[in-house]
Amino acid sequence: MSAGAPHGGSGRGPEDGGGLRASLAGLTTRGRSFLAAGIAAALCAYLLGQSELLRVGLLLAVLPLICVLALHRTRYRVSGSRRLSPMRVPAGAEARVQLRLDNTSRMPTGLLMLQDRVPYVLGPRPRFVLDRVEPGGHREVSYRVRSDLRGRYPLGPLQLRLSDPFGLVELTRSFSAYDTLTVIPRTEALPAVRLTGESSGYGDGSRRSLALAGEDDVIPRGYRRGDDLRRVHWRSTARYGELMVRREEQPQRSRATVLLDTRRLAYEGAGPDSAFEWAVSGTASALVHLLEQGYAVRLLTDTGDCVPREGGGFTSGGQESAEAAGLMMDTLAVVGHSDGAGLSRAYDAVRGGGTGGGGGFGGAGGDGLLIAFFGDLDDVQTELAAKMCRRSGGAVAFVLDSADWSGRPPGLSAVMSQGLPPLDERLGRLRDAGWTALAAPPGVAFGELWRLAGNAQAGSTAGGWG
């Protein structure tokens, strides 16, 4: 089967995947039964001397072979494509996959079965029966996929199954292209509250002029096509002999770092309702909310890895910010547990001395916002986490305790949590260091905790979950 040009750039022509031997392997149960019955009849006819039975045996044996040869020599020119909309969906949401098959040859096709390969977590494998496709014609079908588990899932390759009219042979041809569906964590709409320690308004930033003292202090630049002529600085134009304009005021965006603790030893359990998945979902919700409020944001993990890596680790404005936001969501879609035992690398990155994209808070005068999601913290890690907020303008920590999330009986929880300070003690030490620290028990909506964090004063118990 030869290939035509793909439609939509998503598929290529199916590959034959073998020669005549592969076509023989495509015999169905019916075809193999015909072949076996024909051979048996021919042997019986030879032994018994029955010529009529020999003709029947030859017919039964030859018919499947003729069908194999006919399908093997079929030269349909078809192209297939797949369109995935959207390519990035939250966990639990549906994405629509549209398949299109074009017949680019001058002869009609026979009966075709179209199927697409999808991972089992997205549902059953979709199959479609396509009737005769006229020369130059096409057929379009669609199906939906959804997953409650975040991740990146390949869709494809597309497969085309051919069958003869008698159902004796089925041949499968595979297209080579595939697409990837990215399932990002669920996000929750958060209330717009003023977080403790902010000094420059909630995400609006402060606008500063590059020259405030007077005309003599204006720093001009060369005229660019599209500049407003009302901004022309005539004195500088006369001085430099070319058209000069005043510089625009530059916005200074507030910065925020969202830290996710991914240490394997800090969490227990797995699945959509586990503590770690709650932390990942809360991280995604915080990132989206802060970006909507105008913050320059970065995602940081306990390993010191930072997203984005360019621009000092923080998002910039415009299209670059949208791309960085997509990159952070893609990172959270596949983030897993780390094997690290501590938060030292994250501490170095926050302080500006690590490898997590650089920058820290030093470049912003120490007025950045720090949002952290911590798992279990022992004495050493609690002390290290407490030091992280020293240079931040505001710091909010959501602490998850495995004893609460595991659902174990109280006595057993105390045994399994041996070596960890009590949750109240961990929260108290973080608050004494300047954090607005809240416990994140199971069953509580993150939006409610966010509201409590916004209403809390630094060092207070922050409501009923202290």
Side-chain angles (χ1 to χ4, degrees):
M1 181 177 296
S2 57
H7 176 79
S10 177
R12 284 167 37 185
E15 299 173 352
D16 287 342
L20 186 58
R21 180 177 299 180
S23 299
L24 287 171
L27 284 170
T28 62
T29 301
R30 181 185 301 177
R32 296 175 188 273
S33 300
F34 267 60
L35 185 60
I39 295 175
L43 290 175
C44 291
Y46 175 76
L47 294 176
L48 300 176
Q50 298 292 330
S51 59
E52 292 80 4
L53 183 59
L54 179 60
R55 296 190 186 98
V56 175
L58 291 177
L59 176 61
L60 292 175
V62 170
L63 183 58
L65 300 178
I66 293 176
C67 293
V68 167
L69 185 62
L71 281 184
H72 177 71
R73 296 180 61 86
T74 299
R75 308 304 295 177
Y76 295 148
R77 290 183 57 87
V78 295
S79 62
S81 66
R82 180 190 305 101
R83 290 178 179 172
L84 179 59
S85 177
M87 300 187 69
R88 184 188 292 118
V89 296
E94 288 188 341
R96 185 170 181 264
V97 184
Q98 183 174 358
L99 305 178
R100 173 165 173 158
L101 187 73
D102 290 85
N103 182 13
T104 60
S105 66
R106 297 182 179 179
M107 60 179 296
T109 69
L111 190 65
L112 305 175
M113 189 176 79
L114 193 65
Q115 67 178 9
D116 207 7
R117 289 185 177 180
V118 299
Y120 72 94
V121 296
L122 299 183
R125 179 175 297 183
R127 292 182 173 90
F128 306 93
V129 177
L130 305 180
D131 203 353
R132 176 180 179 272
V133 183
E134 65 278 3
H138 70 274
R139 296 289 185 270
E140 292 186 359
V141 292
S142 63
Y143 64 94
R144 295 183 179 274
V145 292
R146 67 181 297 272
S147 173
D148 293 326
L149 301 176
R150 57 186 176 83
R152 292 172 61 87
Y153 302 103
L155 301 180
L158 197 61
Q159 292 182 329
L160 195 63
R161 182 173 295 180
L162 308 178
S163 178
D164 67 286
F166 303 103
L168 303 179
V169 185
E170 286 185 352
L171 299 182
T172 301
R173 299 289 184 259
S174 295
F175 292 79
S176 59
Y178 66 92
D179 292 287
T180 300
L181 173 67
T182 302
V183 181
I184 63 177
R186 292 185 179 93
T187 57
E188 184 178 346
L190 303 180
V193 295
R194 179 184 175 89
L195 296 179
T196 302
E198 288 182 353
S199 59
S200 58
Y202 191 77
D204 294 332
S206 59
R207 302 188 67 89
R208 61 181 179 182
S209 176
L210 295 180
L212 300 176
E215 284 290 316
D216 293 337
D217 294 322
V218 171
I219 303 177
R221 63 167 175 83
Y223 175 83
R224 299 171 185 168
R225 185 175 181 179
D227 286 337
D228 192 345
L229 292 177
R230 290 175 296 183
R231 292 174 43 223
V232 173
H233 191 251
W234 297 108
R235 181 177 299 179
S236 298
T237 298
R239 179 184 303 173
Y240 294 106
E242 60 177 319
L243 204 57
M244 306 292 289
V245 297
R246 296 182 179 88
R247 292 181 182 269
E248 294 178 339
E249 291 182 346
Q250 303 295 326
Q252 184 179 6
R253 304 178 68 195
S254 298
R255 290 183 171 184
T257 294
V258 182
L259 170 62
L260 175 62
D261 181 8
T262 66
R263 295 172 299 137
R264 188 182 306 276
L265 54 81
Y267 301 92
E268 292 184 15
D273 298 326
S274 64
F276 181 68
E277 292 301 323
W278 188 95
V280 173
S281 179
T283 300
S285 300
L287 286 171
V288 171
H289 180 74
L290 293 173
L291 285 170
E292 290 175 349
Q293 296 298 319
Y295 276 89
V297 182
R298 67 172 177 173
L299 169 65
L300 184 66
T301 66
D302 60 288
T303 62
D305 294 332
C306 184
V307 181
R309 295 183 180 275
E310 291 79 15
F314 292 90
T315 59
S316 56
Q319 183 65 25
E320 293 79 5
S321 181
E323 294 176 356
L327 182 59
M328 286 188 286
M329 290 297 105
D330 290 345
T331 301
L332 290 177
V334 298
V335 68
H337 289 293
S338 70
D339 295 327
L343 301 171
S344 58
R345 293 183 180 179
Y347 174 78
D348 292 339
V350 170
R351 299 284 291 178
T355 59
F361 293 106
D367 62 346
L369 181 63
L370 177 60
I371 308 292
F373 294 83
F374 293 123
D376 289 335
L377 300 172
D378 57 21
D379 289 323
V380 176
Q381 303 312 316
T382 300
E383 184 67 23
L384 194 60
K387 297 178 181 178
M388 289 185 184
C389 68
R390 291 181 177 176
R391 296 178 60 185
S392 63
V396 180
F398 302 96
V399 183
L400 293 85
D401 184 57
S402 295
D404 290 338
W405 282 85
S406 63
R408 297 188 300 264
L412 185 59
S413 298
V415 174
M416 297 297 292
S417 300
Q418 186 176 5
L420 295 177
L423 178 60
D424 291 342
E425 180 180 337
R426 283 175 267 167
L427 294 176
R429 292 168 63 179
L430 291 176
R431 290 166 184 158
D432 291 342
W435 287 89
T436 298
L438 294 89
V444 177
F446 178 59
E448 180 63 18
L449 292 180
W450 186 267
R451 183 186 64 80
L452 290 175
N455 295 337
Q457 298 296 322
S460 69
T461 59
W465 289 303

